[in-house]
Amino acid sequence: MSPVRDVCVIGLGLIGGSLLRASVAGGRTTWGAAVSEVDADAASRAGYDVTTDVEAALHRAESAEALIVLAVPLPAVENLLRLVAQHAPHCVLTDVVSVKGPMLDAVRRRAPYTRYVGGHPMAGTAESGWLAGNASLFEGAAWVVGVEEDTDLEAWAEVTRLVLDVGAFAVPLPADSHDETVARISHLPHLFAAILATIGAQGGPLAMSLAAGSYRDGTRVAGSSPELVRAMTEGNRDALLPIVDEALGRLGAARGSLASTGGLAATIKAGHDGALAYSTAHDAARSGVRVTLSAPDAREALIGLGERGGRITALEDGVASGEVN
């Protein structure tokens, strides 16, 4: 096994700040940088090695051959990648951006010599900023680790090892599969939550006084930072638009049924079945799998595993071990 790499985290909000904490807790030499002086000061006061000098942090990463993690919103990526290309062009690079296709395109344009592996932890809260983070945020969480036709599997293994070290499990996926899937299970729910919260609030004080569990659960993520929600939904426009159309079609069918027959049985039954599918998927028995990363078909095997809902739970001696339904 190769030596454990140092880690440099750029961006110290909820995800980046939690990753910095978790990486340090796991015993890695880890430092961070943030444009926000508030976040950087809070992290420094908590005893972490943090600066507001992003260029210095990247230069240190290049010297140490560290693993760089970009933990900033998509709109901030382009300028940051220019700095990466200038100060740390040969490092292993990953990110936690919630849209992978545009991120992959940006890296290929702005930092083509980095050994890039996309990443997206499926973890978070409606809170933001350094103070919202915690070292246990990723425990038991799915973390997509990108696999493309040209992915360097040694770099993929480095990123996956960090994912496993902070308590998550890795789901190997190409960017297009990731973006279509998160449009369904993350980005559309954010839009629906925003609409539900808007409609509820328009009911005035009475509606807010009667609102309880179903309203609270359906609108929870509407409390997320509007800027972050805009960045991920607008950034995933190409994948999200057809999913919105699919949802509008189902709403239209529900309205048609309600107007013509007064019945919503089909809509409600389909939703109930969908909720059961979620529970079943998480409770189902899984079979063990192993992928030898040096094998000629390793990339195809990893993608196939991920697209079947599988996950990597261990990595040792060039063999990724995991499980699939």
Side-chain angles (χ1 to χ4, degrees):
M1 181 182 295
S2 59
V4 175
R5 287 184 187 267
D6 296 348
V7 176
C8 171
V9 181
I10 307 297
L12 298 177
L14 169 65
I15 301 298
S18 296
L19 181 57
L20 179 75
R21 291 175 173 96
S23 181
V24 170
R28 293 196 189 221
T29 298
T30 308
W31 60 94
V35 174
S36 167
E37 292 188 5
V38 173
D39 285 343
D41 182 65
S44 295
R45 289 177 180 273
Y48 293 95
D49 186 354
V50 169
T51 180
T52 56
D53 190 338
V54 175
E55 295 183 11
L58 291 172
H59 181 74
R60 178 178 173 186
E62 180 77 1
S63 298
E65 298 184 353
L67 169 57
I68 298 172
V69 184
L70 305 186
V72 299
L74 185 62
V77 161
E78 292 273 348
N79 288 334
L80 185 52
L81 286 174
R82 291 189 183 96
L83 295 178
V84 171
Q86 181 179 355
H87 298 286
H90 302 107
C91 283
V92 176
L93 176 69
T94 189
D95 69 286
V96 296
V97 175
S98 62
V99 184
K100 298 273 62 82
M103 184 69 201
L104 181 62
D105 292 342
V107 171
R108 286 173 171 169
R109 284 186 287 105
R110 300 298 183 189
Y113 300 110
T114 58
R115 300 165 66 197
Y116 173 69
V117 178
H120 180 203
M122 304 304 296
T125 70
E127 305 300 322
S128 59
W130 166 265
L131 294 178
N134 69 84
S136 62
L137 181 67
F138 310 111
E139 289 288 341
W143 190 313
V144 174
V145 184
V147 184
E148 309 296 332
E149 291 182 358
D150 58 351
T151 298
D152 180 333
L153 290 186
E154 289 186 2
W156 183 88
E158 294 281 1
V159 174
T160 297
R161 186 169 292 115
L162 175 62
V163 167
L164 299 176
D165 284 351
V166 299
F169 56 84
V171 179
L173 285 176
D176 56 354
S177 293
H178 167 276
D179 289 355
E180 193 272 343
T181 302
V182 297
R184 289 182 180 277
I185 53 85
S186 177
H187 300 169
L188 182 67
H190 272 89
L191 291 184
F192 271 19
I195 293 167
L196 289 172
T198 301
I199 291 173
Q202 286 176 342
L206 174 59
M208 294 298 94
S209 70
L210 296 181
S214 60
Y215 182 78
R216 181 187 63 244
D217 294 346
T219 61
R220 180 183 64 82
V221 295
S224 303
S225 162
E227 293 76 16
L228 293 178
V229 175
R230 281 192 60 196
M232 68 182 181
T233 52
E234 293 173 2
N236 202 24
R237 180 182 293 107
D238 290 346
L240 182 56
L241 275 171
I243 304 304
V244 171
D245 289 340
E246 184 178 333
L248 290 174
R250 289 186 174 273
L251 281 173
R255 187 197 184 282
S257 295
L258 186 61
S260 62
T261 68
L264 290 172
T267 296
I268 293 170
K269 177 64 164 58
H272 185 259
D273 290 346
L276 290 179
Y278 174 76
S279 299
T280 300
H282 283 257
D283 295 337
R286 291 175 173 262
S287 301
V289 293
R290 289 164 60 87
V291 177
T292 302
L293 299 183
S294 60
D297 64 344
R299 291 174 184 81
E300 292 77 8
L302 288 170
I303 291 171
L305 171 66
E307 291 185 339
R308 296 197 309 275
R311 57 196 189 184
I312 300 298
T313 56
L315 183 65
E316 187 173 359
D317 297 330
V319 176
S321 303
E323 51 193 25
V324 66
N325 289 345

